[in-house]
């Protein structure tokens, strides 16, 4: 089943590439957040990164990164904290925008207090630096935490939060949805039974599956199939035109050949962008292989 999915998707993409030459619209698309090569910085990446945003952004850009995904809050943050290290967030934004990079804020809500979680998301979306810089998009991290309710309450709260978030930002603000591996959820359905893909398609512009092959696949062939199958499931569920940014496995646990296979699968399936998790886990070989990602 999974191999057939990957092969069917690859054949469809190859056929499309033959009959559909690049257009001016394709060039314009590349300036959108979520496109191209990305990298991730979390609140737990450490002071070595958060204390020196300009230095690390310069290194990211030199290695081909076009979008920085920057965590702005956590469900474990103090109750009164909507944004983590505001001054550092501003410095990241200034450094990235000076180098023509996009910055997407992200936040993992526990899906319990919908109003509170909406406010934390909007705090990032509405954040402005003294120079007027702001985030280019926002991504909601949709995965269970220790305090996330189960069953219908989880889906209901996700739908309510997503609806409120979209209503608050309007139709044109770029929103992304980060969520667990579709292949993984098929293999372990009890993790999130009947995951509500319809919510993703209705309220979010970009799907960001956590295609962590390092959890379930080993070797380049298995990494390729795992990545391609995640894309294939999303094409089936959300339609062939759905924008997808694939988040690969833990960078520190991927071999060079596995990273190469991940990039090849992303290129072959024609996704919008791709990245590994997370920035400090990349080795020189990962940067070298990620440079082959189609732009």
């Amino acid at each position: 089943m999974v191999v057939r999915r990957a092969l069917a998707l690859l054949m469809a993409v190859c056929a499309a590439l033959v009959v559909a030459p690049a257009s001016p619209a394709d060039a314009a698309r590349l300036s959108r957040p979520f496109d191209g090569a990305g990298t991730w910085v979390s609140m737990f990446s450490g002071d070595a990164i958060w204390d020196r945003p300009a230095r690390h952004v310069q290194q990211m850009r030199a290695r081909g990164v076009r979008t920085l995904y920057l965590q702005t809050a956590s469900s474990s943050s103090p109750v009164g904290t909507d944004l983590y290290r505001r001054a550092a967030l501003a410095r990241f934004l200034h450094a990235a925008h000076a180098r023509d990079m996009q910055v997407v804020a992200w936040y993992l809500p526990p899906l319990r207090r919908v109003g509170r979680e909406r406010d934390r998301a909007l705090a990032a979306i509405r954040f402005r630096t003294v120079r007027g810089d702001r985030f280019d998009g926002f991504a909601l991290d949709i995965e269970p935490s220790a305090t996330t309710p189960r069953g219908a309450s989880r889906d209901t709260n996700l739908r309510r939060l997503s609806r409120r978030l979209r209503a608050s930002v309007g139709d044109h603000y770029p929103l992304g949805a980060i969520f667990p591996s579709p292949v993984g959820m098929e293999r372990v359905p009890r993790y999130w039974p009947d995951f509500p893909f319809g919510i993703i398609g209705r309220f979010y512009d970009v799907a960001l599956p956590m295609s962590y092959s390092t959890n379930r696949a080993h070797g380049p062939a298995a990494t390729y199939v795992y990545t391609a199958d995640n894309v294939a499931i999303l094409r089936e569920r959300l339609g062939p035109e759905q924008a997808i940014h694939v988040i690969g496995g833990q960078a520190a646990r991927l071999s060079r050949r596995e990273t190469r296979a991940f990039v090849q699968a992303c290129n072959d399936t024609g996704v919008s962008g791709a990245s590994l998790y997370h920035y400090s886990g990349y080795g020189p070989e990962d940067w070298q292989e990620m440079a082959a990602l189609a732009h």
Side-chain angles (χ1 to χ4, degrees):
M1 171 68 77
V2 293
V3 174
R4 286 199 298 272
R5 270 182 175 148
L7 290 175
L9 178 62
L10 178 56
M11 291 174 65
V13 170
C14 289
L17 290 175
V18 171
V19 300
S23 68
D26 295 326
R29 178 185 61 81
L30 296 179
S31 64
R32 299 184 313 186
F34 303 101
D35 286 351
T39 196
W40 297 77
V41 170
S42 79
M43 290 170 48
F44 310 102
S45 294
D47 290 342
I49 294 174
W50 280 91
D51 288 346
R52 299 172 178 82
R55 174 187 298 181
H56 290 286
V57 168
Q58 181 178 20
Q59 292 175 0
M60 293 171 191
R61 191 69 186 93
R63 291 162 175 166
V65 171
R66 292 177 41 195
T67 302
L68 166 61
Y69 297 87
L70 188 61
Q71 187 178 10
T72 57
S74 167
S75 59
S76 61
S77 299
V79 173
T81 303
D82 286 330
L83 293 172
Y84 178 72
R85 297 187 61 169
R86 289 171 177 265
L89 293 177
R91 291 164 62 199
F92 271 114
L93 283 166
H94 292 160
H97 289 163
R99 292 168 176 81
D100 297 322
M101 290 170 58
Q102 307 273 0
V103 189
V104 171
W106 63 277
Y107 162 56
L108 192 165
L111 295 176
R112 297 187 70 86
R113 298 173 56 194
V114 171
R116 178 75 182 95
E117 290 155 12
R118 169 188 170 275
D119 290 346
R120 271 199 173 144
L122 290 179
I125 292 168
R126 293 170 176 168
F127 177 69
R128 299 292 185 275
T129 73
V130 293
R131 302 181 190 175
D133 288 42
R134 63 178 184 173
F135 287 101
D136 302 290
F138 177 83
L140 191 71
D141 189 353
I142 303 165
E143 56 179 310
S145 67
T147 60
T148 301
R150 295 180 177 273
S153 295
R154 179 169 54 190
D155 292 2
T156 297
N157 287 349
L158 173 59
R159 183 177 296 104
R160 290 172 59 209
L161 177 58
S162 300
R163 182 183 294 112
R164 291 188 187 184
L165 191 56
R166 175 54 76 188
S168 297
V169 302
D171 293 336
H172 302 296
Y173 186 87
L175 290 179
I178 306 164
F179 52 89
S181 158
V183 171
M185 289 191 288
E186 280 195 352
R187 294 182 183 178
V188 188
R190 67 179 180 276
Y191 180 77
W192 192 321
D194 299 317
F195 183 80
F197 286 101
I199 295 176
I200 308 302
R202 179 177 178 184
F203 296 108
Y204 298 91
D205 303 294
V206 183
L208 294 92
M210 293 183 284
S211 182
Y212 288 9
S213 58
T214 46
N215 293 345
R216 301 187 180 280
H218 302 285
T223 298
Y224 181 99
V225 170
Y226 190 83
T227 304
D229 280 344
N230 272 314
V231 177
I233 292 172
L234 291 180
R235 298 293 191 212
E236 292 173 1
R237 296 279 191 157
L238 301 175
E241 301 304 316
Q242 175 64 52
I244 299 172
H245 179 106
V246 184
I247 312 169
Q250 299 280 347
R253 294 173 54 193
L254 286 165
S255 70
R256 175 187 287 274
R257 294 178 64 206
E258 288 170 334
T259 301
R260 183 180 303 162
F262 168 73
V263 172
Q264 187 63 53
C266 290
N267 288 342
D268 289 347
T269 55
V271 297
S272 306
S275 54
L276 303 177
Y277 192 85
H278 50 83
Y279 167 67
S280 60
Y282 280 68
E285 70 284 357
D286 295 310
W287 292 116
Q288 292 165 8
E289 296 300 334
M290 288 294 291
L293 185 70
H295 295 304

